[in-house]
């Protein structure tokens, strides 16, 4: 029997696997999965480098791969993401009425968690050391790329 | 000599052309262009039907086609869109620091204009009759598709 916490760890592991796959591809190590009734319906990772995409953050790639679901499915779904979701990804979460978001960490980047909570989304932050290490290493090595991904100017 | 108002009308016309192209493709008639220093750097229209995409709203498609711009370019840009931008598209506008948004209409759908203004984005709404007619006709003919695009349940 798998309890809720074990299941949650398993889905965050899947999001971390996505982030690591992105890193192996030379990309930005942020991953996400969308889960409905205990099953992953969409998984993804940031595609800025790989596809030259400015909209496919990890969460957005997971939405794109989950595809055209019934509104009820998205409303019942939980989104797991290795990093606190930015304004764009938080907007997608609100658009599709995702009820719950599990965030790997918000130490390296604080997204729109306050807005999500204000609009009724349940947000849990794990401060997972693996997620923090992935981003710390990446930001140190590729600061200009990271700034570009979050819409910031860069002196690098 | 082209004055500012004429130029603005020209860019809204380009967004409407995108919306109409989407309609001709059997898709949702919402279009957008991103303008930097008097030049269109990205144009797009909703791709839900054409590509089965849940992230490529008109505005998002315009961002994707504008691509990996310097943060300063996006900050100086104006986004024209035929319809008031939803939470996801407003989030992308905030992420990339777009300073100004010109909206065709917000009668058929009210997006996150209040949030955009609260965060310092200049928002102008034209209530353009052509944009209103495009959406009124579309919503009447394809209500289930429209509800899906804005994350709503549908009885249709």
């Amino acid at each position: 029997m798998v309890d809720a916490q074990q299941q949650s760890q398993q889905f965050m592991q899947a999001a971390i696997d996505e982030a690591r796959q992105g890193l192996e591809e030379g990309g930005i190590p942020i991953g996400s999965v969308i889960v409905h009734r205990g099953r992953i319906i969409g998984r993804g990772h940031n595609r800025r480098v790989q596809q030259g995409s400015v909209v496919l953050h990890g969460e957005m790639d997971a939405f794109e791969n989950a595809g055209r679901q019934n509104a009820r499915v998205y409303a019942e779904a939980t989104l797991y993401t290795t990093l606190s979701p930015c304004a764009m990804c938080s907007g997608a979460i609100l658009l599709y009425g995702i009820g719950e978001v599990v965030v790997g960490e918000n130490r390296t980047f604080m997204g729109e968690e306050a807005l999500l909570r204000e609009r009724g989304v349940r947000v849990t932050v794990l401060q997972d050391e693996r997620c923090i290490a992935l981003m710390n290493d990446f930001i140190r090595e590729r600061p200009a790329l990271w700034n570009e991904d979050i819409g910031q100017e860069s002196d690098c």
Side-chain angles (χ1 to χ4, degrees), chain A:
Chain A
M1 236 173 48
V2 180
D3 68 13
Q5 202 185 349
Q6 276 181 315
Q7 212 176 31
S8 182
Q9 282 173 355
Q10 171 196 329
F11 295 132
M12 184 51 69
Q13 183 62 58
I16 293 170
D17 291 346
E18 284 290 326
R20 288 185 174 148
Q21 191 183 325
L23 191 65
E24 280 171 27
E25 293 164 0
I28 301 174
I30 305 170
S32 181
V33 298
I34 298 172
V35 175
H36 181 246
R37 297 188 181 173
R39 194 172 65 83
I40 294 174
I41 60 170
R43 50 195 307 153
H45 53 268
N46 188 298
R47 306 280 179 177
R48 178 170 297 268
V49 172
Q50 299 92 319
Q51 293 183 27
S53 175
V54 301
V55 306
L56 291 178
H57 277 187
E59 299 90 326
M60 305 296 282
D61 194 40
F63 272 112
E64 195 66 326
N65 290 325
R68 295 178 59 180
Q69 301 285 340
N70 187 289
R72 206 168 303 172
V73 172
Y74 276 133
E76 291 173 357
T78 300
L79 183 144
Y80 293 78
T81 176
T82 57
L83 183 65
S84 185
C86 80
M88 173 175 67
C89 299
S90 296
I93 287 163
L94 293 175
L95 171 65
Y96 289 114
I98 299 285
E100 183 171 8
V101 175
V102 181
V103 174
E105 63 106 354
N106 63 14
R107 295 253 173 90
T108 65
F109 175 79
M110 175 55 88
E112 295 280 350
E113 293 172 19
L115 178 67
L116 290 174
R117 289 197 176 99
E118 190 185 295
R119 301 287 183 95
V121 181
R122 279 188 299 162
V123 180
T124 309
V125 183
L126 305 179
Q127 305 298 17
D128 185 300
E129 293 297 337
R130 297 165 300 173
C131 298
I132 296 170
L134 269 170
M135 284 309 294
N136 270 336
D137 291 352
F138 170 72
I139 293 169
R140 192 176 55 242
E141 286 167 26
R142 310 284 305 272
L145 180 56
W146 173 236
N147 282 331
E148 183 193 318
D149 202 56
I150 53 173
Q152 300 295 314
E153 293 251 20
S154 190
D155 304 325
C156 321

